[in-house]
Amino acid sequence: MICSRNLEWGPCSRPLTPPLNLALSAGTVTAVLGANGSGKSSLLKVLAGLIRPLAGELKIAAAQLGATAYLQQHQALDRQYPINLQHLVDAGQWRSRLSRTERRERLHAVLVRWQLIGLESRPLSALSGGELQRALLARIDLQDPRLLLLDEPESAMDESGQQLFWNQVKRWQNEGRTVLVVCHNHIAVCRHVEQALWISAECCQFGSPAQLLAGRISTLQAA
Amino acid sequence: MILEPLWAPFFEFAFMRRALFGGAALAASAAPLGVFLILRRMSMMGDAIAHGILPGVAIGFMLAGFSLPAMTAGGLLAGLGMAGLATWITGRTGLREDASLAALYPISLAGGVLLLGLAGRRLDLMHILFGSALAVDEHTLQAMLLVATVSLVLLAAIFRLLMFGSLDPLFLRGVSRFGPMAYGLFLGLVVINLVVGFQAIGALMVIGLMMLPAAAARFWSLNLPRILCLASAIAAVSVWLGLLFSYYAGLATGPCIVLVAGGFYLLSVVFGRVHGLLSRSYPLYSILRT
């Protein structure tokens, strides 16, 4: 799904990490780990095609429009914007060619799945951070993307919201979608994700989250 | 009939009828554009474009005399140039957009007024700046009706693109390639609405007719289509009442229309159901109104 060779990225010709060689197959869930400012969000933006890499090759098998869904780190939405939750979520069917009835049914199913029933007519200003985040994830769900790039998706969510999120990630994986998720909750990552990418200015490492985090702790102790 | 003064001037004088039809149609298409300017936080851009039109109109007049197509073309080029220049300066330098716009529009206002002065006394500066109902002849009316119709049709066609382009541009980039095209078309519509409005309503006043009803309408609803319709309605009613006011008081048309729209705005600030002062201080008020 994603194949990169000597990929470098960062602001103004100053790469944040050593060149990255990465090969992720379809239907995998990968956590992107690293300290603040190490370049996790920028990497997701490069993969989403929002910013250009500085150097290297990048091949993504979901390059056509609508096949990649990207969730921003901080909800940059204007909360005063005159739109309600249902219309926000329904925009996920932007490129859908289904009939009106089918679209309504899909929308309803997604609202049920993300526990948003009863909030449909709420304006954005009346939603909590977690509710808005669930709505944005529901919109991505409706988009039916093959590659999902999620930047700290569960940071605004409570316990049950996080549980719901990780369950849906599992479902996405079972449906053969590829998921990359930036996450600072290492306990959740170790529990729900099988592979991870550690990013820092010194190195880019790939492996199981538990291994990477254990290695990280030992280097911290050695220092 | 006691209400007759509200209609009589329009039955009596053809020029008042033309100003009413043209002005109301243009108001109905300009106000929704104003709503999107506000939602994009580009209120200042409208201001800058409105001022930027002036030198273009003046140059059009100097080159071709009092010809509507020449003055409109000049205004259109200058307005688009102004929008492009402001965007370019913001993109290339560290200056914020509001500052670059605030720097540009006094320049074009001063330049426009001087150019109009150079063009000689045949052109009444007051009419260009503040509008005159008398200026709406048959050709101007046709231009206003055409621009209003085309604007509303195009606006309906790019509605969703504009909505998500202002709410969530990154999402729009992920699902559609037409975002930048819709934005360019939108700016073009803003410019042409302002240009066509300058004769009847005045180059400096037409921006008020675009923004005030839009700002007022936001106080009444959280539903975008409803806000757009309400803004159109407020703007059209402002044109009608403003024309009457200017007719009976013998005052310039543009300021009368804009002051009526300003009245609607102030009423909305106090009584508005969504963000209004009363609904904030007395929550019961907003419940009663729903």
Side-chain angles (χ1 to χ4, degrees), chain B residues 103-135:
Chain B
L104 281 175
Y105 77 71
I107 299 177
S108 50
L109 176 59
V113 169
L114 282 187
L115 280 172
L116 286 171
L118 281 179
R121 302 220 164 67
R122 288 168 297 159
L123 202 60
D124 191 338
L125 185 62
M126 285 297 278
H127 281 179
I128 294 285
L129 295 182
F130 300 110
S132 155
L134 282 167

Short mmCIF file of all heavy atoms in Angstrom, two decimals, chain B residues 103-135:
data_model
loop_
_atom_site.label_atom_id
_atom_site.label_comp_id
_atom_site.label_asym_id
_atom_site.label_seq_id
_atom_site.Cartn_x
_atom_site.Cartn_y
_atom_site.Cartn_z
N ALA B 103 -3.54 48.10 3.93
CA ALA B 103 -2.55 48.97 3.31
C ALA B 103 -2.94 49.29 1.87
O ALA B 103 -2.68 50.39 1.37
CB ALA B 103 -1.18 48.31 3.34
N LEU B 104 -3.57 48.32 1.20
CA LEU B 104 -3.84 48.51 -0.22
C LEU B 104 -5.06 49.39 -0.50
O LEU B 104 -5.08 50.13 -1.46
CB LEU B 104 -4.04 47.14 -0.90
CG LEU B 104 -2.78 46.36 -1.21
CD1 LEU B 104 -3.13 45.00 -1.76
CD2 LEU B 104 -1.92 47.12 -2.21
N TYR B 105 -6.08 49.31 0.38
CA TYR B 105 -7.27 50.00 -0.09
C TYR B 105 -7.26 51.51 0.04
O TYR B 105 -7.86 52.17 -0.80
CB TYR B 105 -8.58 49.30 0.32
CG TYR B 105 -9.09 49.40 1.72
CD1 TYR B 105 -9.61 50.60 2.20
CD2 TYR B 105 -9.17 48.28 2.51
CE1 TYR B 105 -10.16 50.65 3.46
CE2 TYR B 105 -9.71 48.34 3.78
CZ TYR B 105 -10.20 49.52 4.25
OH TYR B 105 -10.73 49.58 5.48
N PRO B 106 -6.56 52.10 1.02
CA PRO B 106 -6.44 53.57 0.94
C PRO B 106 -5.70 54.01 -0.32
O PRO B 106 -6.03 55.05 -0.91
CB PRO B 106 -5.63 53.93 2.19
CG PRO B 106 -5.60 52.74 3.03
CD PRO B 106 -5.91 51.55 2.21
N ILE B 107 -4.70 53.20 -0.73
CA ILE B 107 -3.95 53.56 -1.94
C ILE B 107 -4.90 53.62 -3.13
O ILE B 107 -4.92 54.59 -3.90
CB ILE B 107 -2.84 52.52 -2.23
CG1 ILE B 107 -1.84 52.49 -1.07
CG2 ILE B 107 -2.13 52.82 -3.54
CD1 ILE B 107 -0.75 51.45 -1.23
N SER B 108 -5.73 52.58 -3.29
CA SER B 108 -6.57 52.57 -4.48
C SER B 108 -7.71 53.58 -4.36
O SER B 108 -8.15 54.15 -5.37
CB SER B 108 -7.10 51.17 -4.77
OG SER B 108 -7.66 50.62 -3.63
N LEU B 109 -8.19 53.82 -3.13
CA LEU B 109 -9.23 54.85 -2.98
C LEU B 109 -8.68 56.22 -3.37
O LEU B 109 -9.27 56.94 -4.19
CB LEU B 109 -9.74 54.88 -1.53
CG LEU B 109 -10.76 55.95 -1.20
CD1 LEU B 109 -12.01 55.81 -2.07
CD2 LEU B 109 -11.16 55.92 0.26
N ALA B 110 -7.51 56.58 -2.82
CA ALA B 110 -6.90 57.86 -3.14
C ALA B 110 -6.59 57.95 -4.63
O ALA B 110 -6.89 58.95 -5.30
CB ALA B 110 -5.62 58.05 -2.32
N GLY B 111 -6.01 56.86 -5.17
CA GLY B 111 -5.69 56.84 -6.60
C GLY B 111 -6.95 57.01 -7.44
O GLY B 111 -6.96 57.77 -8.41
N GLY B 112 -8.01 56.31 -7.06
CA GLY B 112 -9.25 56.39 -7.82
C GLY B 112 -9.84 57.78 -7.81
O GLY B 112 -10.26 58.31 -8.85
N VAL B 113 -9.86 58.41 -6.61
CA VAL B 113 -10.44 59.75 -6.52
C VAL B 113 -9.63 60.75 -7.36
O VAL B 113 -10.19 61.58 -8.08
CB VAL B 113 -10.52 60.20 -5.04
CG1 VAL B 113 -10.84 61.67 -4.93
CG2 VAL B 113 -11.56 59.37 -4.30
N LEU B 114 -8.28 60.65 -7.29
CA LEU B 114 -7.44 61.55 -8.10
C LEU B 114 -7.68 61.33 -9.59
O LEU B 114 -7.81 62.28 -10.36
CB LEU B 114 -5.96 61.32 -7.76
CG LEU B 114 -5.48 61.96 -6.47
CD1 LEU B 114 -3.98 61.82 -6.33
CD2 LEU B 114 -5.88 63.43 -6.42
N LEU B 115 -7.75 60.06 -9.99
CA LEU B 115 -7.96 59.75 -11.41
C LEU B 115 -9.31 60.30 -11.88
O LEU B 115 -9.42 60.86 -12.98
CB LEU B 115 -7.90 58.25 -11.65
CG LEU B 115 -6.51 57.63 -11.75
CD1 LEU B 115 -6.61 56.12 -11.79
CD2 LEU B 115 -5.79 58.15 -12.98
N LEU B 116 -10.34 60.16 -11.02
CA LEU B 116 -11.66 60.68 -11.39
C LEU B 116 -11.59 62.20 -11.52
O LEU B 116 -12.24 62.80 -12.36
CB LEU B 116 -12.71 60.27 -10.36
CG LEU B 116 -13.13 58.79 -10.41
CD1 LEU B 116 -14.02 58.45 -9.21
CD2 LEU B 116 -13.88 58.49 -11.70
N GLY B 117 -10.75 62.83 -10.64
CA GLY B 117 -10.57 64.28 -10.73
C GLY B 117 -9.92 64.66 -12.05
O GLY B 117 -10.34 65.61 -12.72
N LEU B 118 -8.89 63.88 -12.43
CA LEU B 118 -8.20 64.13 -13.70
C LEU B 118 -9.15 63.98 -14.88
O LEU B 118 -9.03 64.66 -15.89
CB LEU B 118 -7.03 63.15 -13.87
CG LEU B 118 -5.75 63.44 -13.12
CD1 LEU B 118 -4.73 62.34 -13.40
CD2 LEU B 118 -5.19 64.80 -13.54
N ALA B 119 -10.10 63.04 -14.72
CA ALA B 119 -11.00 62.74 -15.84
C ALA B 119 -11.92 63.92 -16.15
O ALA B 119 -12.60 63.93 -17.16
CB ALA B 119 -11.82 61.50 -15.52
N GLY B 120 -11.94 64.89 -15.26
CA GLY B 120 -12.71 66.10 -15.56
C GLY B 120 -14.03 66.12 -14.83
O GLY B 120 -14.39 65.19 -14.11
N ARG B 121 -14.75 67.20 -15.01
CA ARG B 121 -15.95 67.42 -14.22
C ARG B 121 -17.18 66.75 -14.81
O ARG B 121 -18.26 66.82 -14.25
CB ARG B 121 -16.22 68.92 -14.09
CG ARG B 121 -15.05 69.64 -13.47
CD ARG B 121 -15.46 70.72 -12.51
NE ARG B 121 -14.31 71.09 -11.68
CZ ARG B 121 -13.23 71.70 -12.14
NH1 ARG B 121 -13.14 72.03 -13.41
NH2 ARG B 121 -12.23 72.01 -11.34
N ARG B 122 -16.99 66.12 -15.99
CA ARG B 122 -18.18 65.51 -16.61
C ARG B 122 -18.70 64.35 -15.77
O ARG B 122 -19.84 63.95 -15.90
CB ARG B 122 -17.82 65.00 -18.01
CG ARG B 122 -17.63 66.11 -19.02
CD ARG B 122 -17.01 65.56 -20.26
NE ARG B 122 -15.68 65.02 -19.99
CZ ARG B 122 -15.07 64.13 -20.75
NH1 ARG B 122 -15.67 63.65 -21.81
NH2 ARG B 122 -13.87 63.72 -20.47
N LEU B 123 -17.82 63.80 -14.93
CA LEU B 123 -18.23 62.68 -14.12
C LEU B 123 -18.45 63.15 -12.68
O LEU B 123 -17.57 63.72 -12.07
CB LEU B 123 -17.13 61.61 -14.15
CG LEU B 123 -17.55 60.20 -13.83
CD1 LEU B 123 -18.60 59.72 -14.82
CD2 LEU B 123 -16.35 59.29 -13.88
N ASP B 124 -19.65 62.93 -12.17
CA ASP B 124 -19.93 63.40 -10.82
C ASP B 124 -19.36 62.43 -9.80
O ASP B 124 -19.82 61.29 -9.67
CB ASP B 124 -21.45 63.53 -10.64
CG ASP B 124 -21.78 64.25 -9.35
OD1 ASP B 124 -20.92 64.27 -8.45
OD2 ASP B 124 -22.88 64.82 -9.26
N LEU B 125 -18.34 62.90 -9.07
CA LEU B 125 -17.65 62.03 -8.11
C LEU B 125 -18.62 61.49 -7.06
O LEU B 125 -18.58 60.32 -6.69
CB LEU B 125 -16.53 62.83 -7.43
CG LEU B 125 -15.63 62.03 -6.48
CD1 LEU B 125 -14.92 60.95 -7.24
CD2 LEU B 125 -14.64 62.95 -5.79
N MET B 126 -19.52 62.37 -6.59
CA MET B 126 -20.46 61.94 -5.55
C MET B 126 -21.32 60.78 -6.03
O MET B 126 -21.65 59.87 -5.28
CB MET B 126 -21.35 63.12 -5.14
CG MET B 126 -20.66 64.14 -4.27
SD MET B 126 -20.13 63.43 -2.70
CE MET B 126 -21.68 63.53 -1.79
N HIS B 127 -21.71 60.83 -7.32
CA HIS B 127 -22.55 59.75 -7.84
C HIS B 127 -21.79 58.43 -7.92
O HIS B 127 -22.35 57.38 -7.64
CB HIS B 127 -23.10 60.13 -9.21
CG HIS B 127 -24.26 61.06 -9.11
ND1 HIS B 127 -24.93 61.57 -10.20
CD2 HIS B 127 -24.87 61.59 -8.03
CE1 HIS B 127 -25.89 62.37 -9.79
NE2 HIS B 127 -25.87 62.40 -8.47
N ILE B 128 -20.52 58.52 -8.31
CA ILE B 128 -19.72 57.30 -8.39
C ILE B 128 -19.51 56.71 -6.99
O ILE B 128 -19.63 55.51 -6.78
CB ILE B 128 -18.35 57.59 -9.04
CG1 ILE B 128 -18.53 58.03 -10.49
CG2 ILE B 128 -17.43 56.38 -8.95
CD1 ILE B 128 -18.85 56.91 -11.44
N LEU B 129 -19.20 57.57 -6.03
CA LEU B 129 -18.88 57.07 -4.70
C LEU B 129 -20.11 56.65 -3.92
O LEU B 129 -20.09 55.66 -3.19
CB LEU B 129 -18.10 58.12 -3.90
CG LEU B 129 -16.72 58.49 -4.42
CD1 LEU B 129 -16.07 59.51 -3.50
CD2 LEU B 129 -15.84 57.26 -4.52
N PHE B 130 -21.20 57.43 -4.07
CA PHE B 130 -22.34 57.19 -3.18
C PHE B 130 -23.63 56.81 -3.90
O PHE B 130 -24.66 56.60 -3.28
CB PHE B 130 -22.58 58.41 -2.28
CG PHE B 130 -21.39 58.71 -1.43
CD1 PHE B 130 -20.62 59.83 -1.65
CD2 PHE B 130 -21.01 57.83 -0.43
CE1 PHE B 130 -19.50 60.09 -0.87
CE2 PHE B 130 -19.90 58.08 0.35
CZ PHE B 130 -19.14 59.21 0.13
N GLY B 131 -23.57 56.73 -5.21
CA GLY B 131 -24.69 56.18 -5.95
C GLY B 131 -25.82 57.17 -6.19
O GLY B 131 -25.98 58.15 -5.48
N SER B 132 -26.58 56.89 -7.24
CA SER B 132 -27.74 57.71 -7.54
C SER B 132 -28.75 56.85 -8.28
O SER B 132 -28.41 56.13 -9.22
CB SER B 132 -27.32 58.89 -8.42
OG SER B 132 -28.43 59.33 -9.17
N ALA B 133 -29.98 56.89 -7.79
CA ALA B 133 -31.03 56.09 -8.43
C ALA B 133 -31.20 56.50 -9.89
O ALA B 133 -31.55 55.69 -10.74
CB ALA B 133 -32.34 56.26 -7.67
N LEU B 134 -30.92 57.78 -10.16
CA LEU B 134 -31.09 58.29 -11.53
C LEU B 134 -30.12 57.62 -12.51
O LEU B 134 -30.35 57.63 -13.71
CB LEU B 134 -30.86 59.80 -11.55
CG LEU B 134 -32.02 60.64 -11.04
CD1 LEU B 134 -31.56 62.06 -10.80
CD2 LEU B 134 -33.18 60.60 -12.00
N ALA B 135 -29.03 57.08 -11.97
CA ALA B 135 -28.00 56.52 -12.85
C ALA B 135 -28.42 55.19 -13.48
O ALA B 135 -27.77 54.69 -14.38
CB ALA B 135 -26.70 56.32 -12.06
#
